[in-house]
Amino acid sequence: EIVMTQSPATLSVSPGERATLSCRASQNVFSNLAWYQQRPGQAPRLLIYAASTRATDVPARFSGSGSGTEFTLSISSLQSEDFAVYYCQQYSSWPPEFSFGPGAKVEIK
Amino acid sequence: QVQLQESGPGLVKPSEILTLTCTVSGGPISGSYWSWIRQSPVEGLEWIGYINYSGSANYNPSLKSRFTLSVDTSKNQFSLKVNSVTAADTAVYYCARSARTAMGPYYYYYMDVWGKGTTVTVSS
């Protein structure tokens, strides 16, 4: 089983500032890494897949990078709607398995 | 666009069977894989398994074999059955489309469409 970890668990940022979140995989997942945003009371929303490709309608202020075991999600200038919890997710083909990180909360400073 | 809607009981007694259904609208169930994910304060987001239109399924190897996925293409639905539920199965259950994108020689997998989720409580 591939275990995902995220840091920091909580990030306090002022609106307009940059936020950087990290995700680490216990094994090489190549670029099979996605990022999701979850607002309170809502389902997760896909932001990034293939480590760095923005999903449809995702603003350009969101960017993803990394490969192998180390990944980063950056939000260049935080808007009010960006304060949420962010999850990374990996996919491994054998055995076929998705797994999620524990989440990282971005809160208003 | 494709939309997903979970349905099922909100309350189940311990040791009973839980069955949840996800209805796919706005597109066919064929051509994609469809996942169930649950979320609890203890476990966070936990992928349960996925299934395609022909009934081929894969399950989270970390979970015990109490989970069964099935598909009904005539109704554009797929379902999750959980046997012998316990309090640890209390969670919000989501269905999602497991999309696959080819980029060069590689495939990438992710959940691009989610249902709103349904809360399941296991309690006597």
Side-chain angles (χ1 to χ4, degrees):
Chain A
E1 178 192 1
I2 297 176
V3 177
M4 309 300 290
T5 56
Q6 293 184 239
S7 62
T10 302
L11 185 64
S12 298
V13 186
S14 298
E17 290 188 339
R18 182 181 189 86
T20 301
L21 304 175
S22 295
C23 173
R24 175 175 292 180
S26 61
Q27 300 174 36
N28 186 356
V29 299
F30 303 93
S31 294
N32 234 315
L33 193 286
W35 289 94
Y36 300 84
Q37 176 194 67
Q38 187 176 34
R39 298 177 179 135
Q42 295 186 14
R45 167 200 175 200
L46 176 69
L47 296 176
I48 301 283
Y49 64 94
S52 61
T53 302
R54 272 190 304 277
T56 304
D57 295 331
V58 173
R61 63 181 182 273
F62 291 91
S63 63
S65 63
S67 66
T69 61
E70 301 281 345
F71 300 89
T72 299
L73 174 70
S74 296
I75 312 170
S76 60
S77 177
L78 275 158
Q79 308 297 303
S80 58
E81 61 268 27
D82 301 335
F83 292 96
V85 180
Y86 293 84
Y87 295 91
C88 59
Q89 166 252 300
Q90 68 82 27
Y91 177 82
S92 58
S93 58
W94 192 256
E97 177 187 10
F98 291 93
S99 56
F100 292 88
K105 182 179 181 180
V106 177
E107 65 176 22
I108 300 175
K109 187 174 182 180
Chain B
Q1 71 279 23
V2 172
Q3 293 184 313
L4 306 179
Q5 178 66 59
E6 305 90 348
S7 58
L11 180 64
V12 187
K13 291 182 169 55
S15 79
E16 290 189 343
I17 296 173
L18 167 65
T19 301
L20 298 174
T21 297
C22 182
T23 301
V24 180
S25 59
I29 202 166
S30 59
S32 295
Y33 275 82
W34 305 91
S35 279
W36 285 98
I37 301 107
R38 65 182 182 180
Q39 185 173 31
S40 66
V42 173
E43 296 291 342
L45 286 168
E46 185 174 41
W47 174 71
I48 297 169
Y50 63 52
I51 191 167
N52 73 356
Y53 73 98
S54 67
S56 174
N58 281 298
Y59 298 89
N60 185 335
S62 299
L63 295 177
K64 295 180 181 177
S65 55
R66 298 185 296 118
F67 300 83
T68 304
L69 301 184
S70 60
V71 63
D72 187 337
T73 55
S74 67
K75 296 181 179 179
N76 238 33
Q77 294 177 333
F78 61 103
S79 297
L80 168 69
K81 185 175 77 170
V82 187
N83 292 319
S84 304
V85 298
T86 70
D89 295 311
T90 294
V92 177
Y93 285 75
Y94 295 100
C95 58
R97 184 171 69 181
S98 302
R100 182 179 78 167
T101 293
M103 297 170 66
Y106 304 108
Y107 286 102
Y108 299 95
Y109 299 80
Y110 46 91
M111 321 289 186
D112 66 338
V113 181
W114 294 66
K116 295 185 187 304
T118 186
T119 299
V120 174
T121 301
V122 179
S123 175
S124 55

